[in-house]
Amino acid sequence: MHLHVVNPNASAEMTAGIARAAEAAAPAGVTVTVTGAAGGPLSIEGPVDGAMAVPWMLQRIEEAEAQGVDAHVIACFDDTGLDAARCVARAPVVGIGEAAAHCATLVADRFAVVTSVPEALPVLRGNLARYGLAARCAGLRAAGVPVLDIDAGTPEALAAIRRETAAALDDDGADAIVLGCAGMASLAASLSEEFGCPVIEGIAAGLSLAAALAGAGLRTSKRGGYAFPRKTAAS
Amino acid sequence: MHLHVVNPNASAEMTAGIARAAEAAAPAGVTVTVTGAAGGPLSIEGPVDGAMAVPWMLQRIEEAEAQGVDAHVIACFDDTGLDAARCVARAPVVGIGEAAAHCATLVADRFAVVTSVPEALPVLRGNLARYGLAARCAGLRAAGVPVLDIDAGTPEALAAIRRETAAALDDDGADAIVLGCAGMASLAASLSEEFGCPVIEGIAAGLSLAAALAGAGLRTSKRGGYAFPRKTAAS
Amino acid sequence: MHLHVVNPNASAEMTAGIARAAEAAAPAGVTVTVTGAAGGPLSIEGPVDGAMAVPWMLQRIEEAEAQGVDAHVIACFDDTGLDAARCVARAPVVGIGEAAAHCATLVADRFAVVTSVPEALPVLRGNLARYGLAARCAGLRAAGVPVLDIDAGTPEALAAIRRETAAALDDDGADAIVLGCAGMASLAASLSEEFGCPVIEGIAAGLSLAAALAGAGLRTSKRGGYAFPRKTAAS
Amino acid sequence: MHLHVVNPNASAEMTAGIARAAEAAAPAGVTVTVTGAAGGPLSIEGPVDGAMAVPWMLQRIEEAEAQGVDAHVIACFDDTGLDAARCVARAPVVGIGEAAAHCATLVADRFAVVTSVPEALPVLRGNLARYGLAARCAGLRAAGVPVLDIDAGTPEALAAIRRETAAALDDDGADAIVLGCAGMASLAASLSEEFGCPVIEGIAAGLSLAAALAGAGLRTSKRGGYAFPRKTAAS
Amino acid sequence: MHLHVVNPNASAEMTAGIARAAEAAAPAGVTVTVTGAAGGPLSIEGPVDGAMAVPWMLQRIEEAEAQGVDAHVIACFDDTGLDAARCVARAPVVGIGEAAAHCATLVADRFAVVTSVPEALPVLRGNLARYGLAARCAGLRAAGVPVLDIDAGTPEALAAIRRETAAALDDDGADAIVLGCAGMASLAASLSEEFGCPVIEGIAAGLSLAAALAGAGLRTSKRGGYAFPRKTAAS
Amino acid sequence: MHLHVVNPNASAEMTAGIARAAEAAAPAGVTVTVTGAAGGPLSIEGPVDGAMAVPWMLQRIEEAEAQGVDAHVIACFDDTGLDAARCVARAPVVGIGEAAAHCATLVADRFAVVTSVPEALPVLRGNLARYGLAARCAGLRAAGVPVLDIDAGTPEALAAIRRETAAALDDDGADAIVLGCAGMASLAASLSEEFGCPVIEGIAAGLSLAAALAGAGLRTSKRGGYAFPRKTAAS
């Protein structure tokens, strides 16, 4: 099986980091190709970055479709451009935010999301409502730590993430944690051990769900909302 | 007061049509500038067209912001790029789909949307859910008529629109009709007279709501979900 | 354009205050007539006051209809008697609570309501649910200050309102504030400046939305829920 | 136990009919006093009739409270003035529409409402949403028959009610029927036998629930939404 | 009238305690038979206990049906096996958790549940959502006290229950309290007096609602979700 | 990886059929053990069968846990005993109904369920609501064909399933079909080809999701709703 993971931003460093995480998380027997956008923003923080990134990301999806990959994973917790990506693909497309939330509801009664900065919360809140999983979400929390500090693994960043994880479990009543930021992927295992509950990061969840859909022979519906775009002339 | 109406697609004909509708519908004392995207798709039918159009549309919003307009109207019933547009603007931004739906709930208990083709329904359905107005929507109906035939005003197109309007009122129990396609704007008055109920088209609703927000001194919040984008380096 | 603002209670002082606020907030080119109930309670605090006030208010709506006004505004944040008022009017009818909430969702992702006393919260909560806007409301807060103290502008009242405003933004995650009490109208501008976000008061929002609906040529639907009452004999 | 049933309209005939139905349905050991409004509309069809009726109905509730009744039943399927009635009463207050719907969810998975005229549907739909029982309602149907014809028991009225009952069970998937009009009370038993499912009318349901609440020693909460009205001066 | 109360667990002590509470709460003229499961778990704390208890409980329901009781009450706040019980019964079946919640919405705008241990919350939360009453629930709180300590009436247990009751009223904004544990039944009256609001325990609520349904002549629908099970061969 | 599929009923034929379907659908590198209940009902049609089956099914889950399987699949579209099964397992547990619905929302905007008999609909409707996926479900349809006829593959059964599939796509607006009956598994491929859209059966979906969760290293949370049962004495 051949999966395509696309980083919707143009940061080569982030693409490399995602590639490392994907390699570590790839299911057995699965080949993973990781691509990054050739243009657009270097990170995606909010709706404008998302909007500027999607056209570049769709190129990568279409190229990988042409090469016959079995499924696509959008490696941004915002699930940037998910609906548009499904429209250009026959193969299934999974966003890592969506994947982590679906997995959480299968191993816990209620989950909470712990992410980097408060600016990220509105998009995540809207996504969960659209997926129908908002009622299973006990809380959305931001550690108040920039993505770069998380990537650097500073002690302050780690302390803030652990503090919000504890609050999500104890105060919000969550049974599982979804890490809402790609840069937190490497923390999942140690946090899960420390807090004694599932701690779900999106790259592994996304690869696993994408492989599950492709393995079950499923492809994106071309009726209704995800139909291929009509060939409209561009100016 | 100076309002900016942006056609998010690159069709000069559509921009001209929107300009005519906007001129007819402009509140007294309001100057309207209508712009169209300089690139991107020639029409917006589905999520991919929408995604490709937004970067071009945001340019127009930013230019108009720089010129100090009092509010913006996105002249596509899909409310293409609404969240991103709010992020780059201080002035209020209103989508014509959103405007029509809000107005409908202020003059009727339940409304229905009549649009052109079934492919348009999933985006409209998702939008109404996000605005919180889905529970007031008695039905979403497509006349099964391409936008070009609607623009041409063929008898078949008109008959199909009248048939779905009647069904929305009689079978779905709607009290008012929202016309879910910019090309139907010129039909609103005659349909309203024929069926004896409010028939709301988005250009007039959008201009009126935009003027209302600006007139009340309101501006887009820069806290939370619509904060200005951080200046991120582009590749 | 001629708008009718009705104060549903019988306090001449409040009617005068509403008239001052309406004059200050009236859109350009709009004539405003402010009326007050000829009988019924002197203030509306809870469902019983509301119920006793509606018959008197409907008289004012019917008189103004007969005089041919273009729209009506109900100047009570409870939106007292809104459905009944729509039934007796051809012109659009807007409640100031409803108007402020709709406007809030057009300039902010999530809003909070700050009102006077906790007794006011249940009616407001129920209204937001009916309008479909509850999911966009981050919190409902009472300053714990009687309306008279707010009108008098005591330092204690002001401090309590500012404290709840800060909590709504910081703790509840609101991006905009709706002032849930007509007596707070004069505070909107200074609070907006202090907290750097939209602070919406209902008189201005209501007048603006009413003018928008009338300006767009809309009238209350007489199909379904807002049909004119049948002429039933009264005892 | 002493229950008070109030007819919120001023029709002596309807009050007499309600008294007959109440007598037939009264639980063992329960004394029922039936009152009717001394003024206001002769029937309640829509929000305006409801609004004009409530002040008169509240008088009857207050008088019965003063006499020490154990609970009140509002004998109109619209549950006219229910919140206000709870504010003036210490004893529990139950509306017959609300009572029938609650009972339906206790003996069936999904119920449908069959009422007289389509004008009645919007109020019923709004009430079910507020009670939280809308998700259990499979459909709201109007027989298209005026209340007077139902009272007269014309064959056409009966046929229409049977037709809508069958459609609610077969097409909407309801397991039980709520009769949404006080005049249909006498039909409940024969319809239940014919269709082999619960057919619930409000007078019996309301008396039974009111007796249940009183028997369990419950009284209306005076904290929060149903607090006694403050003594406000009336003009 | 003859009501059947079934304790779904196999503890003879608990059955005896339920019998005492039922005797105290039985409506006038009502005979109550209390049974307990002949096997299965000695208490029901979570989904596994519930699952193991249901087959034994259904035996008791079927035996009581054969004896012609008028209604059944399931005396566990989890409403263990409620849907299955309705399938084997013609007479109405009411769970005490469900009964208390329905009663609460009839005497208060918003209620809170105070129960024993946090492990009980997920089942209660799920039940309220299914009944449609979650929107009326201001909070679910656990006193953190084992059932045995509550039964023993230790001062610590009482203090914890009073602390959570106060928090539910003051912090969550509840107007009434539902006691979410059969062992708290004897505290209802004194808590109601102390806090000045309805405090509802399930045994009394369940008996009252069951008597109300039976008194109104209602029986469980055998169409749709609660149809009798087909006679399927057992292995 | 070692997956455990449990047939919660006691029919050896069904267990054998499930084993054949599971073998056909097993992801590469996955060993599947299929077990069936040692007692209880021979088929699960409604809540009573479900209740009687769960204790036997939990035995199989516990035995497989003891043998160290990596995940469990409950092979009944009702997701019988899912919460209880999660409580006794460390490994993830997935129901085939839940699995099919989650997969459907990842490859289609809206799905419909086509099942055997109308009696099955209430349980499925309730499950979708609990999973949060009801808003994505365009319709629930029963072919009106007994399970045995589906298993036998009679022409009438096939015709009825094709008729409801067409209606779900054309009338309900679904983009994908979920086959709501284990016996339909062999039809998925041909229906998908005929109707040109995803047709999802639960065995393949369940195995794929279970393997995905296990592959991602996830285990059922033992905090909150799925905690291990306390060791309570059994009578």
Side-chain angles (χ1 to χ4, degrees), chain F residues 6 27 30-31 44 61 63 65 67 71 81 85 88 111 126-127 131 135 150 176 193 213 219 223-224:
Chain F
V6 59
V30 168
T31 305
I44 297 183
I61 301 270
E63 290 164 6
E65 273 288 300
Q67 292 162 13
V88 300
F111 67 95
N127 284 353
Y131 306 150
I150 293 173
E193 193 169 340
L213 295 171
R219 293 159 76 75
R223 297 180 69 108

Side-chain angles (χ1 to χ4, degrees), chain C residues 139-156:
Chain C
L140 287 154
R141 288 176 169 270
V145 182
V147 175
L148 284 185
D149 287 11
I150 292 173
D151 282 345
T154 67
E156 290 77 15

Side-chain angles (χ1 to χ4, degrees), chain B residues 86 92-93 98 102-103 105-109 130-133 136 169-170 174-176 195-200 204 208-209 212-213 215-216 218-221 223-226, chain C residues 86 92-93 98 102-103 105-109 130-133 136 169-170 174-176 195-200 204 208-209 212-213 215-216 218-221 223-226:
Chain B
R86 282 188 178 138
V93 183
E98 158 187 71
H102 278 279
C103 286
T105 69
L106 297 172
V107 295
D109 184 49
R130 164 148 166 72
Y131 307 151
L133 305 178
R136 300 288 289 275
L169 296 171
D170 295 338
D175 315 332
F195 288 98
C197 73
V199 176
I200 304 169
S208 298
L209 275 199
L213 295 171
L218 294 174
R219 293 159 75 77
T220 301
S221 178
R223 296 179 71 107
Y226 301 137
Chain C
R86 282 187 179 141
V93 183
E98 157 187 74
H102 278 279
C103 286
T105 69
L106 297 171
V107 296
D109 184 49
R130 165 147 165 73
Y131 306 151
L133 306 178
R136 302 287 289 277
L169 297 170
D170 295 338
D175 315 332
F195 288 98
C197 72
V199 177
I200 303 169
S208 298
L209 274 199
L213 295 172
L218 294 175
R219 293 158 76 75
T220 302
S221 178
R223 295 179 71 107
Y226 300 139

Side-chain angles (χ1 to χ4, degrees), chain A residues 86 98 102 105-109 130 132 136 169-170 175 198 200 208-209 212 216 218-221 223-226, chain F residues 86 98 102 105-109 130 132 136 169-170 175 198 200 208-209 212 216 218-221 223-226:
Chain A
R86 284 190 176 137
E98 157 187 72
H102 278 278
T105 70
L106 297 172
V107 295
D109 185 48
R130 164 149 166 71
R136 301 288 289 276
L169 296 170
D170 295 337
D175 314 332
I200 303 168
S208 298
L209 275 198
L218 294 175
R219 294 159 74 76
T220 302
S221 179
R223 296 179 71 108
Y226 300 137
Chain F
R86 283 190 179 137
E98 158 188 72
H102 278 280
T105 69
L106 297 172
V107 296
D109 184 49
R130 164 146 165 74
R136 300 288 288 276
L169 297 170
D170 295 337
D175 315 332
I200 304 169
S208 299
L209 275 199
L218 294 174
R219 293 159 76 75
T220 301
S221 179
R223 297 180 69 108
Y226 301 137

Side-chain angles (χ1 to χ4, degrees), chain E:
Chain E
M1 188 181 299
H2 185 185
L3 301 183
H4 170 227
V5 177
V6 59
N7 172 20
N9 71 43
S11 158
E13 286 85 354
M14 285 203 201
T15 303
I18 288 166
R20 280 190 301 274
E23 208 159 313
V30 168
T31 306
V32 179
T33 299
V34 178
T35 68
L42 288 171
S43 72
I44 297 184
E45 307 181 55
V48 175
D49 288 334
M52 301 308 291
V54 176
W56 299 96
M57 183 190 74
L58 292 181
Q59 282 188 358
R60 293 301 186 227
I61 301 268
E62 289 183 316
E63 290 163 7
E65 274 287 301
Q67 293 163 12
V69 300
D70 295 295
H72 308 267
V73 175
I74 299 176
C76 175
F77 206 80
D78 282 5
D79 297 338
T80 314
L82 180 57
D83 284 338
R86 283 187 177 139
C87 290
V88 301
R90 262 281 179 204
V93 183
V94 173
I96 65 170
E98 158 188 71
H102 278 279
C103 286
T105 69
L106 298 172
V107 295
D109 185 48
R110 301 213 301 162
F111 67 95
V113 180
V114 174
T115 188
S116 52
V117 290
E119 287 84 349
L121 298 180
V123 171
L124 303 188
R125 189 183 294 117
N127 284 353
L128 289 177
R130 164 147 167 72
Y131 307 150
L133 305 179
R136 301 288 288 276
C137 178
L140 287 153
R141 288 177 169 271
V145 182
V147 176
L148 285 185
D149 288 12
I150 292 173
D151 283 345
T154 67
E156 290 76 16
L158 209 66
I161 292 167
R162 293 177 61 247
R163 185 191 64 226
E164 296 302 320
T165 297
L169 297 171
D170 295 338
D171 299 347
D172 300 343
D175 315 333
I177 299 296
V178 165
L179 294 177
C181 169
M184 296 177 177
S186 63
L187 305 176
S190 62
L191 287 170
S192 176
E193 193 169 341
E194 175 177 356
F195 289 98
C197 72
V199 176
I200 303 169
E201 64 87 14
I203 303 281
L207 282 169
S208 297
L209 275 199
L213 295 171
L218 295 174
R219 292 159 74 76
T220 301
S221 179
K222 289 298 142 185
R223 296 179 71 107
Y226 300 138
F228 282 121
R230 307 181 179 198
K231 281 282 166 260
T232 55
S235 67

Side-chain angles (χ1 to χ4, degrees), chain A residues 4 6 8 57 61 72-76 79-82 85 93-97:
Chain A
H4 169 226
V6 58
M57 182 189 74
I61 302 270
H72 308 267
V73 175
I74 300 176
C76 175
D79 298 337
T80 313
L82 180 57
V93 183
V94 173
I96 64 170

Side-chain angles (χ1 to χ4, degrees), chain A residues 21-73:
Chain A
E23 208 159 313
V30 168
T31 306
V32 179
T33 300
V34 178
T35 67
L42 288 172
S43 72
I44 296 184
E45 307 181 56
V48 174
D49 287 335
M52 301 309 290
V54 177
W56 300 96
M57 182 189 74
L58 292 181
Q59 284 188 357
R60 292 303 186 225
I61 302 270
E62 289 183 316
E63 291 164 6
E65 274 287 301
Q67 292 163 13
V69 300
D70 294 294
H72 308 267
V73 175

Side-chain angles (χ1 to χ4, degrees), chain C residues 103-213:
Chain C
C103 286
T105 69
L106 297 171
V107 296
D109 184 49
R110 300 213 302 162
F111 68 94
V113 180
V114 175
T115 188
S116 52
V117 289
E119 286 85 347
L121 299 180
V123 171
L124 304 188
R125 189 183 294 118
N127 284 352
L128 288 176
R130 165 147 165 73
Y131 306 151
L133 306 178
R136 302 287 289 277
C137 178
L140 287 154
R141 288 176 169 270
V145 182
V147 175
L148 284 185
D149 287 11
I150 292 173
D151 282 345
T154 67
E156 290 77 15
L158 209 66
I161 292 167
R162 294 178 60 247
R163 185 192 63 227
E164 295 302 321
T165 297
L169 297 170
D170 295 338
D171 300 346
D172 299 343
D175 315 332
I177 300 295
V178 164
L179 295 177
C181 169
M184 296 177 178
S186 63
L187 305 176
S190 62
L191 287 170
S192 175
E193 193 168 342
E194 176 178 355
F195 288 98
C197 72
V199 177
I200 303 169
E201 64 87 13
I203 303 282
L207 282 168
S208 298
L209 274 199
L213 295 172

